[in-house]
Amino acid sequence: MTNNRHEELGLSNDDVLHMYETMLMARRLDERMWLLNRAGKIPFVISCQGQEAAQVGAAYALDKDKDYIAPYYRDMGVVLHFGMTPKELMLSAFAKAEDPNSGGRQMPGHFGQKKNRILTGSSPVTTQLPHAVGVALAAKIKKKDFITFVTLGEGSSNQGDFHEGANFAGVHKLPTIIMVENNKYAISVPIEKQLACEHVSDRAIGYGMPGVTVDGTDPLEVYKVMKEAADRARSGEGPSLVETICYRLTAHSSDDDHRAYRSDEDLKAEREKDPIPRFAAYLKETGVLDEESEKALEDKVKKIVNEATDYAEAAPYAKPEDALKYVYAEKGGDE
Ligand SMILES: Cc1ncc(C[n+]2csc(CCOP(=O)(O)OP(=O)(O)O)c2C)c(N)n1
Ligand SMILES: [Mg+2]
């Protein structure tokens, strides 16, 4: 075997295959959602495409049975690893009653699922950061062993909530990890119009925490720095800021057309950095995957995506009167 980096990190062949399967599942679900959107069947898609390696590599370094996560809208890879199923993600895309995130109330990408400790998020970007820091404060006060993980885009790191949350986490040495998925665009605004410093991670020093920038197309690199950050948080040493350099392989959302502000060459160059074929190539080099097992995995994922699509499409919508639920106290109900 050549250059077997995963074993050096303490990951087995099964671990890396599982990582790859989750990345592939996120990609194929996302691609299906675009087709459904263009066919007029679902209202909106906001993609994880190009960011799956950062998401799955990071999630793998956490304890999915204990830790709390506050993901942002592109984090399909993170929530899949934490136990949200493809069927549940499709129910959300179709805005059906059985959608575990909000029963079809919120837009897709607004993840939230109590049983998997996924904090519910709202549309104003970065509001999830103070939430995750608050839950980390609870862990510290209650002397619990869990840590919290929050993600956001680099554009969102310019919101005031980022400063307030990161500063509070740093001052109180809270067990939290802040991961910025830097895809170099905030809708149509390029990175050079977003940041005056070179890296988002340069800001960490101001909050008294370590900051690192890693290649977000490589799940093993992300796993490595995230594992260090998780160990730090769990041992009481405080928060960390991790910046993953990613590529947004789609337009900002299904309502955007990035050809209006990006060149063909630029888009083509980013395709070359697609994390899915890159990780498949690594797995083949190390003898973990071959043509046959790759095909079997593709078939398995496709079957699950097909079943999830059919189930969600046929599932009922919420009743109109359900729109009033959780807004007003119900007569005779819990207050
Ligand atoms: C407070 C707030 N301002 C503006 C928006 C509109 N908005 C939604 S996503 C987005 C871009 C965010 O860019 P970035 O943080 O880089 O994340 P990316 O979409 O690139 O992953 C904006 C401006 C919003 N949702 N909330
Ligand atoms: Mg961005």
Side-chain angles (χ1 to χ4, degrees):
M1 298 215 178
T2 53
N3 191 21
N4 190 330
R5 292 186 293 127
H6 64 276
E7 280 183 5
E8 279 168 29
L9 293 170
L11 293 169
S12 68
N13 288 354
D14 276 354
D15 285 329
V16 283
L17 265 181
H18 186 227
M19 274 183 171
Y20 181 66
E21 182 172 336
T22 308
M23 287 167 59
L24 195 64
M25 181 65 77
R27 174 64 60 92
R28 298 294 177 249
L29 277 167
D30 202 287
E31 287 170 346
R32 175 64 55 84
M33 286 173 184
W34 278 86
L35 289 177
L36 291 166
N37 174 265
R38 293 315 193 225
K41 293 190 174 194
I42 65 170
F44 185 74
V45 190
I46 189 136
S47 272
C48 62
Q49 291 188 42
Q51 301 183 200
E52 300 93 336
Q55 297 169 0
V56 176
Y60 224 85
L62 301 169
D63 186 334
K64 69 183 173 66
D65 298 317
K66 202 158 62 179
D67 296 336
Y68 283 75
I69 58 170
Y72 93 119
Y73 44 83
R74 297 199 192 280
D75 277 330
M76 189 134 70
V78 175
V79 298
L80 275 170
H81 182 75
F82 264 71
M84 194 174 289
T85 66
K87 204 195 225 181
E88 290 171 334
L89 286 159
M90 273 297 174
L91 283 161
S92 162
F94 277 95
K96 294 297 176 78
E98 222 188 316
D99 155 35
N101 300 285
S102 66
R105 283 174 180 75
Q106 284 193 297
M107 291 167 81
H110 289 63
F111 304 114
Q113 193 174 30
K114 195 173 178 184
K115 74 170 181 185
N116 287 318
R117 295 166 321 289
I118 303 172
L119 303 184
T120 192
S122 190
S123 290
V125 295
T126 335
T127 45
Q128 69 274 23
L129 205 154
H131 298 169
V133 169
V135 177
L137 177 65
K140 188 171 177 178
I141 290 171
K142 295 185 167 181
K143 298 192 171 33
K144 293 274 170 72
D145 182 35
F146 66 79
I147 65 175
T148 70
F149 173 63
V150 57
T151 58
L152 61 151
E154 81 295 340
S156 304
S157 74
N158 304 308
Q159 285 282 128
D161 304 67
F162 180 88
H163 172 70
E164 292 172 36
N167 190 55
F168 192 88
V171 167
H172 296 282
K173 286 202 174 310
L174 299 180
T176 196
I177 306 171
I178 302 166
M179 184 171 96
V180 174
E181 297 178 34
N182 181 354
N183 58 19
K184 292 172 290 312
Y185 278 88
I187 311 187
S188 58
V189 181
I191 187 80
E192 58 277 11
K193 290 196 177 146
Q194 298 180 48
L195 300 180
C197 49
E198 194 181 348
H199 301 294
V200 176
S201 65
D202 293 341
R203 294 173 171 171
I205 192 170
Y207 305 122
M209 64 176 86
V212 280
T213 298
V214 276
D215 177 358
T217 66
D218 182 346
L220 300 180
E221 282 298 306
V222 177
Y223 173 83
K224 184 169 177 255
V225 298
M226 275 289 301
K227 186 76 179 51
E228 283 164 15
D231 290 345
R232 245 178 75 75
R234 239 179 271 283
S235 64
E237 289 171 72
S240 303
L241 175 62
V242 174
E243 175 185 20
T244 55
I245 305 298
C246 302
Y247 300 92
R248 194 189 79 194
L249 297 181
T250 64
H252 172 72
S253 75
S254 53
D255 292 343
D256 176 37
D257 181 354
H258 57 177
R259 289 170 303 183
Y261 54 88
R262 300 198 61 184
S263 69
D264 288 348
E265 301 80 66
D266 193 18
L267 290 171
K268 202 161 159 267
E270 293 210 339
R271 274 276 149 206
E272 307 284 306
K273 294 170 183 152
D274 187 336
I276 305 276
R278 279 191 164 194
F279 197 43
Y282 168 82
L283 295 176
K284 285 178 187 163
E285 264 168 44
T286 48
V288 178
L289 194 71
D290 59 20
E291 297 290 327
E292 206 181 318
S293 52
E294 187 180 27
K295 165 95 178 52
L297 201 58
E298 279 284 1
D299 289 348
K300 177 182 168 190
V301 167
K302 190 174 184 177
K303 186 164 180 280
I304 294 171
V305 174
N306 284 344
E307 284 169 3
T309 308
D310 292 346
Y311 182 91
E313 190 170 7
Y317 286 107
K319 296 195 290 288
E321 56 272 30
D322 284 355
L324 299 177
K325 271 190 176 170
Y326 318 119
V327 176
Y328 302 107
E330 286 179 35
K331 217 173 165 189
D334 292 340
E335 304 207 5

